[in-house]
Amino acid sequence: MRVMGSETEYGIHAPSAPGANATMMSARVIQAYAQVTRQRAAGGAETRWDYTDEEPLHDARGWTLERSEAEPEQLTDRPPALDAEAVALAYGRAELDHDGEDESGSLLMNMVLGNGARLYVDHAHPEYSSPEVTNPRDAVTWDAAGDLVALAAVRRLAADPELPPINLYKNNTDNKSVSYGSHENYLMPRSVPFGEIARGLTPFFVTRQIMCGAGRVGLGQDSSRPGYQISQRADFFETEVGLETTIRRPIINTRDEPHATADKYRRLHVIIGDANLSQGANFLKFGSTAMVLSLIEAGLAPRIEVHDPVAALQAVSHDTSLTATLRLLDGRRVTALDLQWMYFEAAAKLAQDTGVADAVDGDGHTHAVLERWSATLTELDSDRAAAASTVEWLAKLSLLEGYRQRDGLEWSDARLGLVDLQWADIRPEKGLYHRLLARDRMQRIVDDEAIARAVTEPPSDTRAFFRGRCVSRFGSDLVGASWDSVIFDLPGRGKLQRVPTREPLRGTEALTGGLFARHREAAPFLAELLGLPPGS
Amino acid sequence: MAGQEQQQPQSRDTEVEEDIPAPPAAPEAQASAATQGVDDLLDEIDGVLESNAEEFVRAFVQKGGQ
């Protein structure tokens, strides 16, 4: 359908070490996973991140923010040094020790994984950025694989008697006014004007939470008002369009870092979504958004403008009855469901006209997205119990309502806050989403085996295949990798060999599988890849 | 021609098992089964919830994020 990917910042907590430094703990998580993969792959499966092409200050509206005007957290194009400044940024008690050091003596903050993903310390959280995939089903698979990566690190730390156990949560807020992100990325042609993207997406982003919100106990950034709302993130958004991701969060983020051929592509960086454990919700989040981008590219997005989108976003999130109406600039009043139906109808028509949803000749994914999109909207309107097997905020709400009824709990009761938090614990025996999944109360889109394979296997149909295979096969010959490069350091050669991967749909199994099959060693592999004479 | 003969679907069992649908439960029975399901679920979750909810939730403090 479209090149896409996910980023998950996990909430991190060591119950037995309150006040532990969050950046240090996050580095331990990365380190723990490095130890796991060292066990799995001889030669070491971890590779350093290459920062050459990071451009966090490029704005999609056509300018670049001066470094001096940027917030320190926006400077993501430099390797994070775990120095006094980084520790101070994380505000916690420093616990520098030498357990987590690699051979060169510095803490490992960044890894490229054999499945093509990136695992690293982002500010004060461990983050998993999925490999590039081409459809929402794969997006769900490799996003869920990230939860297994995180789980492997948690298990490793739990087995270490020297270190406090660390819990990771796939959620987006601590309910004490801090939020951390779950981002989506979509590849788009550069030729689509950014204003059209913002106009077309804003009403969609204000309302898609009714399908893919993860649910949250508490209202307001600091949760000071009791209640339940649809979205984890909505209360943390303060502006309509902007470059920042950590403060003054915008509904439409303008970061313009394509990680690809810049005059052809833009990478749309979406920061408004909730992290989803529900596979159905995650599938619909990626699938419906990808289809709305196709509408925008075709100039066929519904001509709708919502009055005061930030207030509307929060009003929708706070209305679990789904009956509140939003004012449009043309004077109409519509519900969030009405608005989603308008996008659905337009997307379904475009898909029919272009044939992508055809059961035989279609792309194999659009049909499933449309079916699920319409079924979910219908169920949200008339059969909420059925919707609760995929719509995460409803599944969580029905659990919370069970507690409220059985034990007569008010929304301010700490046990409901704990249910909300523990919903997102990634450990299957502790995480409440996982308990519901085990009882088949949550729908599976992909089977457990496919997710387990995706922990080590890259997607076959993007450049992530090349990156992941290079890491798995030639890890000890690599000094770095990034979204758009893999860097080799071969013994006996004077200089590093950087292989650019600027085209997301090249480096696939179809294009490079034979190369990997022919060469077990990095030198002849690279020689054939780059067309060098043997032995040069 | 042999290739055009209708192939009988192969079955591992020679006996044909018929799906006999269970008689529909009375509405009250369905409702109480659903309540039972929720009660079971809550009982299970009581067993995995962290102890001391108030302290656990209060201690979950995160630093900045995107």
Side-chain angles (χ1 to χ4, degrees):
Chain A
M1 274 175 88
R2 174 183 300 276
V3 174
M4 56 184 85
S6 68
E7 306 167 32
T8 305
E9 287 181 65
Y10 292 94
I12 183 164
H13 183 42
S16 63
N21 181 280
T23 305
M24 283 300 311
M25 285 199 294
S26 300
R28 281 201 182 129
V29 169
I30 313 306
Q31 192 68 27
Y33 193 69
Q35 289 164 348
V36 171
T37 56
R38 251 180 228 130
Q39 284 182 342
R40 195 159 56 213
E46 93 260 29
T47 293
R48 285 175 183 284
W49 193 254
D50 172 21
Y51 285 88
T52 316
D53 290 318
E54 303 275 330
E55 297 160 328
L57 305 182
H58 279 214
D59 195 301
R61 292 166 292 186
W63 60 81
T64 299
L65 188 67
E66 291 293 327
R67 293 192 81 83
S68 58
E69 291 171 16
E71 298 289 330
E73 291 161 341
Q74 285 179 280
L75 302 176
T76 56
D77 54 347
R78 302 276 169 82
L82 199 56
D83 53 14
E85 186 190 15
V87 171
L89 256 178
Y91 324 99
R93 176 163 58 90
E95 302 182 298
L96 280 166
D97 60 30
H98 299 280
D99 287 340
E101 291 184 357
D102 68 3
E103 305 81 39
S104 64
S106 64
L107 259 159
L108 191 63
M109 304 283 272
N110 250 302
M111 292 172 73
V112 187
L113 308 185
N115 71 353
R118 179 187 187 194
L119 181 69
Y120 69 116
V121 178
D122 190 11
H123 308 306
H125 303 270
E127 173 165 333
Y128 169 89
S129 297
S130 83
E132 305 89 328
V133 297
T134 61
N135 62 75
R137 193 184 162 80
D138 285 353
V140 171
T141 306
W142 269 273
D143 184 59
D147 300 345
L148 291 184
V149 166
L151 178 64
V154 164
R155 298 284 196 229
R156 174 92 191 184
L157 287 165
D160 188 334
E162 304 283 310
L163 295 173
I166 288 176
N167 297 347
L168 296 178
Y169 297 87
K170 194 179 190 182
N171 62 6
N172 301 105
T173 177
D174 66 357
N175 278 326
K176 299 166 191 70
S177 70
V178 163
S179 182
Y180 34 99
S182 156
H183 298 172
E184 302 139 65
N185 297 291
Y186 301 90
L187 197 70
M188 301 186 74
R190 166 82 41 193
S191 54
V192 183
F194 196 80
E196 288 297 306
I197 298 172
R199 241 189 311 284
L201 274 176
T202 300
F204 178 72
F205 280 171
V206 166
T207 53
R208 75 170 186 172
Q209 55 178 314
I210 64 172
M211 306 186 296
C212 41
R216 176 181 171 209
V217 173
L219 307 177
Q221 293 192 357
D222 59 358
S223 235
S224 54
R225 285 175 289 139
Y228 184 77
Q229 61 175 311
I230 289 172
S231 158
Q232 289 261 308
R233 288 279 272 174
D235 286 354
F236 296 94
F237 282 72
E238 297 172 19
T239 182
E240 292 175 36
V241 180
L243 185 59
E244 293 92 353
T245 55
T246 55
I247 49 164
R248 297 184 295 276
R249 290 189 187 86
I251 294 173
I252 305 292
N253 183 231
T254 55
R255 183 186 290 188
D256 189 5
E257 243 182 328
H259 296 314
T261 305
D263 50 0
K264 267 172 80 175
Y265 304 112
R266 76 167 80 248
R267 172 184 64 120
L268 183 72
H269 189 231
V270 175
I271 68 168
I272 200 169
D274 287 359
N276 283 123
L277 286 150
S278 162
Q279 296 181 8
N282 219 12
F283 178 83
L284 206 41
K285 180 171 72 185
F286 283 97
S288 64
T289 304
M291 291 189 71
V292 169
L293 295 179
S294 297
L295 279 175
I296 293 167
E297 287 165 9
L300 295 171
R303 295 282 155 194
I304 302 168
E305 282 188 82
V306 177
H307 174 75
D308 194 352
V310 174
L313 172 76
Q314 285 153 13
V316 169
S317 184
H318 295 185
D319 170 39
T320 55
S321 73
L322 305 184
T323 55
T325 55
L326 307 177
R327 186 147 70 86
L328 305 185
L329 288 192
D330 64 13
R332 280 181 292 170
R333 296 202 73 104
V334 296
T335 65
L337 270 167
D338 293 335
L339 249 166
Q340 279 298 310
W341 276 118
M342 291 179 208
Y343 274 94
F344 170 81
E345 299 293 350
K349 177 163 192 321
L350 177 63
Q352 192 177 17
D353 292 348
T354 56
V356 289
D358 189 274
V360 178
D361 300 322
D363 62 14
H365 298 282
T366 300
H367 182 70
V369 173
L370 286 172
E371 277 203 333
R372 186 166 287 274
W373 195 352
S374 70
T376 300
L377 294 178
T378 303
E379 288 171 359
L380 280 171
D381 199 25
S382 58
D383 186 0
R384 283 188 164 210
S389 68
T390 56
V391 176
E392 194 162 343
W393 68 268
L394 269 179
K396 189 188 280 181
L397 178 58
S398 89
L399 187 58
L400 290 161
E401 288 291 4
Y403 267 96
R404 278 162 55 78
Q405 277 163 27
R406 192 191 70 178
D407 300 341
L409 304 181
E410 298 292 330
W411 279 116
S412 54
D413 194 288
R415 280 172 73 204
L416 298 184
L418 180 60
V419 168
D420 186 11
L421 172 58
Q422 212 173 317
W423 175 270
D425 191 320
I426 59 163
R427 293 172 296 174
E429 70 280 11
K430 292 296 266 184
L432 304 189
Y433 159 78
H434 283 285
R435 300 319 310 149
L436 265 63
L437 183 70
R439 287 175 171 249
D440 288 327
R441 282 173 171 257
M442 300 300 299
Q443 248 184 59
R444 283 179 167 82
I445 301 273
V446 286
D447 58 44
D448 293 353
E449 293 75 26
I451 297 170
R453 269 198 308 279
V455 171
T456 50
E457 286 290 310
S460 65
D461 55 356
T462 66
R463 64 186 175 188
F465 178 82
F466 179 79
R467 179 189 318 123
R469 277 284 185 274
C470 282
V471 169
S472 303
R473 182 73 66 79
F474 307 124
S476 55
D477 297 308
L478 300 185
V479 291
S482 71
W483 302 120
D484 47 18
S485 70
V486 176
I487 304 174
F488 287 81
D489 181 14
L490 298 185
R493 276 178 191 265
K495 59 184 170 88
L496 302 178
Q497 192 69 57
R498 189 170 191 269
V499 181
T501 55
R502 310 276 296 168
E503 285 290 337
L505 289 173
R506 295 185 67 82
T508 60
E509 181 169 26
L511 291 171
T512 65
L515 199 60
F516 284 103
R518 281 192 292 281
H519 301 290
R520 309 302 299 182
E521 301 292 329
F525 171 86
L526 208 53
E528 183 180 340
L529 178 69
L530 302 174
L532 305 173
S536 71
Chain B
M1 291 193 302
Q4 288 179 330
E5 277 173 35
Q6 178 108 27
Q7 298 267 325
Q8 289 296 320
Q10 296 289 315
S11 171
R12 232 173 275 174
D13 298 313
T14 48
E15 280 181 290
V16 177
E17 285 180 348
E18 281 182 36
D19 284 335
I20 302 165
E28 315 86 71
Q30 282 181 340
S32 86
T35 310
Q36 187 59 43
V38 172
D39 287 347
D40 281 357
L41 177 66
L42 295 183
D43 287 348
E44 180 193 326
I45 288 175
D46 284 339
V48 301
L49 277 181
E50 307 284 355
S51 52
N52 199 345
E54 191 152 357
E55 189 189 318
F56 197 91
V57 167
R58 190 175 51 232
F60 181 71
V61 177
Q62 299 296 290
K63 303 305 175 191
Q66 294 211 52

